[in-house]
Amino acid sequence: MSVHRLSPRDARRVAVRAQLLTRQRPGDVVETVRELTLLQIDPVTAVAPAQHLVLWSRLGSAYDTGELDRLLADRTLVEVLGFVRPAEDVALWRAEMEAWPAPSRRDGTLRPWQEGQARWVEANDRGRRDIVAHLAADGPTPTAALPDSTEVPWRSSGWTNDKNVQRLLDLMVARGEVAVCGRDGGQRLWDLAERVYPDVPAVPLEQARAELDERRLAALGLLRARGPECPTEPADARAAGEEAVVEGVRGSWRVHPAYLDPAEAFAGRAALLCPIDRLVFDRARMAELFDFDYVLEMYKPKAQRRFGYYALPVLDGDQLVGKLDATADRRRGVLRVDALHEDGVWSDARRDRVLAEVHDLADWLGLDPALPAHLGG
């Protein structure tokens, strides 16, 4: 099969189409999640929680945040390890859960961190069984109300250090034993996985992995064949799609063939993106395809920030063109815009398109836009 040769503009348009950010918007929340394959949950509310902000970027101000809650409640969508996913995809994860810890996709061996997790779960088998027994008897339970009979503490140099029940629950999700069944004030509620996930047979492991690779590539359009190994969501395409090269970018890519000869001409629009939107989440891919300089600066001291605490990347057409430094000040009832950082020279038409999105964002949040004077505030 010949190698597809893409111009930088073609590559960008593949990525934007795949992420449902063209003028032709998806129909509803379910369609959006199925096409994107997942929504990452993040509770930061500087503007809006990530899962809602991503949906607004696709659906516009008609998106009702309560719709996502309803779809999770009726199990059309389910939460798995911090991601919202279509419930029918459980069939694709079940083999991985049953094989836990599942051998590497690359060489069929367990990594040291996987072996360490397996040893830790085995050492805390009594704690695991106590959690299962509690949920079987009492049903949905918040993390803090679950019994902690772990005997070996979880050790980490990060924020999970000594978070024994929380870490055990995450590994029990990976094993297919428990699942998030809802949230109460942002706190996860847990139940037995068999009560939450649909009762569907597992797709064989390698077949499931190949299908997930195909769906991931369809959702992103263009990926490297190999990327860093990630415990929750891989960042590569493996053998999915077809080989491609992008002019001016080193190495080869995998492209989903559906985007190579689209039936309709590309019709772009302006969009404000969540900082962990999948169009920009892989910062290396973002830089290679879009030549875009962006860092999420919420963890930096204020004096070291260039763009703002929670600046939103700005898309216009097939280009990432700037960052919006905005905060939802709910006490004052305003969406406060401190800066609109314009990369390069913007036309008046581009600025108007972006400002229309700022006003739409404020309208969706139920806030009044408060812009600097030079932006019409």
Side-chain angles (χ1 to χ4, degrees), residues 326-349:
T327 304
D329 187 340
R330 294 169 178 84
R331 184 179 60 82
R332 292 178 52 214
V334 299
L335 176 67
R336 190 184 72 246
V337 175
D338 292 315
L340 179 58
H341 302 280
E342 301 179 2
D343 293 2
V345 178
W346 283 22
S347 66
D348 290 341

Side-chain angles (χ1 to χ4, degrees), residues 26-244:
D28 57 24
V29 173
V30 174
E31 178 186 339
T32 305
V33 177
R34 284 177 175 155
E35 292 292 320
L36 299 181
T37 74
L38 57 82
L39 294 174
Q40 185 169 346
I41 297 173
D42 191 287
V44 175
T45 58
V47 176
Q51 62 273 24
H52 296 305
L53 192 51
V54 168
L55 288 170
W56 168 79
S57 293
R58 275 73 183 172
L59 297 167
S61 59
Y63 164 58
D64 173 10
T65 59
E67 180 66 11
L68 180 59
D69 296 333
R70 290 188 288 273
L71 291 166
L72 286 165
D74 71 15
R75 307 285 192 261
T76 301
L77 305 175
V78 292
E79 179 180 337
V80 185
L81 294 174
F83 295 99
V84 174
R85 298 181 184 266
E88 62 264 25
D89 285 2
V90 167
L92 298 173
W93 320 318
R94 199 175 289 280
E96 195 104 25
M97 292 172 170
E98 292 173 357
W100 189 92
S104 165
R105 303 187 316 151
R106 292 182 180 166
D107 58 17
T109 64
L110 293 179
R111 298 296 185 245
W113 60 268
Q114 291 177 302
E115 294 175 343
Q117 288 180 349
R119 287 194 299 269
W120 187 76
V121 172
E122 184 178 359
N124 287 299
D125 189 61
R126 183 165 71 95
R128 183 190 64 80
R129 287 186 285 107
D130 286 349
I131 289 174
V132 169
H134 176 96
L135 294 176
D138 293 1
T141 305
T143 306
L146 288 168
D148 182 1
S149 48
T150 53
E151 298 174 10
V152 178
W154 177 263
R155 294 302 181 210
S156 166
S157 59
W159 66 275
T160 60
N161 187 57
D162 219 22
K163 303 281 188 181
N164 301 324
V165 172
Q166 177 179 304
R167 197 68 190 103
L168 187 55
L169 287 165
D170 288 339
L171 295 175
M172 291 172 72
V173 171
R175 290 164 56 98
E177 294 178 298
V178 301
V180 174
C181 64
R183 287 183 175 249
D184 183 8
Q187 299 300 307
R188 292 181 293 181
L189 299 175
W190 299 90
D191 204 347
L192 298 179
E194 63 198 49
R195 296 174 179 166
V196 178
Y197 299 152
D199 183 16
V200 291
V203 174
L205 182 58
E206 286 308 311
Q207 179 184 337
R209 285 175 166 176
E211 175 65 22
L212 288 168
D213 291 340
E214 183 75 18
R215 295 199 60 220
R216 185 182 318 108
L217 182 60
L220 291 163
L222 196 68
L223 280 172
R224 295 291 190 181
R226 293 185 62 171
E229 286 194 304
C230 303
T232 52
E233 178 65 18
D236 54 34
R238 292 207 300 171
E242 299 174 7
E243 187 176 1

